[in-house]
Amino acid sequence: MTDPIQHFLTLDDFTPAQLAKLVDDTIASKPAYKANVGAAPLAGQTLALIFEKPSLRTRVSFEVAMTQLGGATTYLDQSTIGLGKREAIKDVARVLGRMCDGIMARTFSHNSLEILAEYSHVPVINGLTDHSHPCQAMADLVTIREHCGELPGKTLVFVGDGNNVARSLAIGCAKLGMNFKLICPAGYELEAELFERLGSDYPAVALSMSNDIADVAGADAIYTDTWISMGQEDEKARRIETFGPYQVNAELMQSAPGAIVLHCLPAYREMEITDEVFEAHAKVIMDEAENRLHFQRTLVAALLADGGIS
Ligand code: CP
Ligand code: NVA
């Protein structure tokens, strides 16, 4: 038997069974915590929250999750700690590892997160990097299970940029038996090697990339995200022009009738999604946002109270 995994850096690190258990545990935990009678095993424990970028959902969901589990958080933004500027990342990691019981970090560079994990000796959780957003993808998979049923054989179509969210979804979908399709402008695809590796490891699922929005046909879930991720503001004008034809709007939805619509948020209306489509699917999108809390509470309990993910 292998040792439990201490950090949550990328979905690549976990087996399908481990991810499926996290989805199941998240769904099972919801009634008790929504009724304020859930277990609170983290008394006296503190999760440090490092943010190099802005956040609503990630910050609030980790803070509320720790409150529900009986623990506390300390919020550290970049202007406070100067990760890698005021202080070397490895020293920030060592100090927080001495004082705190876990670290959640939202960084630009994925390597910064890996350095935190290497030096802190306490669990480190990826709260979004330029590379990936695994907590988001897991909350999305929980939401698809709740609204579409068992995941194997379902199809998620991501319309937009082959970005951090798309990358985590591709991995999560493949591992949980879901087909994944990325529809994006030429030049904004995910790495072909990622699809080749996932296709070889999980031959039962269909993984594809296309530049044709007509390929949304057959989707159980249509997903979109901003065309301009945090840190790409300089490319705004070019991206708006390039991504224009890839908007999730009423016409696109006619090709996928019955599909649910997901968005990690924040949403930019009349850019990647029209207000009309957003509002028609707002209930599911807000369920998805709420599931960030439920997934992350399950994750933090597994890492800080149960000794890791096995
Ligand atoms: N989806 C998401 O991570 O939202 P925030 O950027 O507000 O945390
Ligand atoms: N791709 C977006 C996700 C925001 C939650 C970004 O990185 O800004």
Side-chain angles (χ1 to χ4, degrees):
M1 176 134 167
T2 53
D3 290 339
I5 300 176
Q6 190 190 7
H7 305 295
F8 191 77
L9 304 183
T10 160
L11 299 186
D12 264 328
D13 296 339
F14 300 93
T15 64
Q18 288 168 332
L19 297 183
K21 182 171 187 307
L22 284 169
V23 170
D24 289 346
D25 289 351
T26 299
I27 293 171
S29 78
K30 287 174 68 168
Y33 286 96
K34 282 167 93 73
N36 278 330
V37 294
L42 296 188
Q45 297 205 39
T46 299
L47 181 68
L49 306 178
I50 296 176
F51 282 94
E52 284 189 327
K53 303 175 180 179
S55 169
L56 173 66
R57 278 146 294 276
T58 304
R59 177 180 178 177
V60 175
S61 51
F62 275 107
E63 289 183 347
V64 174
M66 285 301 286
T67 300
Q68 292 181 335
L69 292 167
T73 55
T74 182
Y75 175 73
L76 304 163
D77 71 9
Q78 182 61 350
S79 66
T80 307
I81 60 167
L83 189 71
K85 295 191 169 70
R86 179 173 184 265
E87 189 155 8
I89 298 172
K90 60 185 178 183
D91 291 346
V92 172
R94 287 164 167 146
V95 171
L96 292 177
R98 295 292 186 101
M99 298 185 185
C100 300
D101 303 280
I103 300 170
M104 190 285 329
R106 167 168 288 191
T107 57
F108 287 95
S109 160
H110 192 75
N111 186 239
S112 300
L113 187 83
E114 292 172 333
I115 296 170
L116 288 169
E118 183 179 350
Y119 285 93
S120 70
H121 303 300
V122 295
V124 171
I125 298 170
N126 181 350
L128 181 149
T129 67
D130 289 347
H131 172 268
S132 50
H133 198 0
C135 289
Q136 180 68 54
M138 290 302 290
D140 301 335
L141 292 165
V142 167
T143 310
I144 297 168
R145 238 293 285 288
E146 291 179 326
H147 286 277
C148 303
E150 294 297 325
L151 298 179
K154 297 291 188 307
T155 298
L156 185 147
V157 177
F158 188 104
V159 184
D161 190 14
N163 63 13
N164 44 8
V165 174
R167 186 173 290 104
S168 290
L169 281 167
I171 301 167
C173 285
K175 292 202 175 208
L176 292 185
M178 281 185 63
N179 307 312
F180 177 88
K181 190 184 290 181
L182 171 64
I183 301 181
C184 64
Y188 292 87
E189 292 88 355
L190 286 163
E191 315 78 74
E193 312 81 66
L194 173 68
F195 277 51
E196 282 160 22
R197 177 168 57 77
L198 291 172
S200 145
D201 290 348
Y202 305 102
V205 301
L207 303 166
S208 61
M209 293 190 270
S210 160
N211 305 129
D212 184 354
I213 56 165
D215 286 338
V216 296
D220 295 289
I222 303 268
Y223 199 114
T224 190
D225 180 18
T226 182
W227 295 334
I228 304 130
S229 285
M230 293 177 277
Q232 297 175 333
E233 291 78 10
D234 290 353
E235 302 171 31
K236 184 171 178 179
R238 178 163 55 83
R239 282 177 169 266
I240 289 173
E241 192 179 332
T242 305
F243 280 92
Y246 294 83
Q247 183 186 66
V248 175
N249 54 31
E251 188 185 340
L252 178 142
M253 291 306 298
Q254 282 177 5
S255 301
I260 64 168
V261 173
L262 298 173
H263 193 308
C264 57
L265 304 175
Y268 298 90
R269 288 168 166 79
E270 310 312 327
M271 301 266 273
E272 75 273 6
I273 190 166
T274 59
D275 184 63
E276 180 188 8
V277 171
F278 186 99
E279 292 303 329
H281 296 270
K283 161 76 173 64
V284 176
I285 294 170
M286 294 305 149
D287 287 347
E288 177 189 12
E290 181 187 325
N291 279 331
R292 294 291 307 280
L293 165 64
H294 302 301
F295 169 70
Q296 284 153 205
R297 186 185 57 241
T298 302
L299 175 68
V300 171
L303 296 178
L304 270 61
D306 301 341
I309 294 170
S310 34

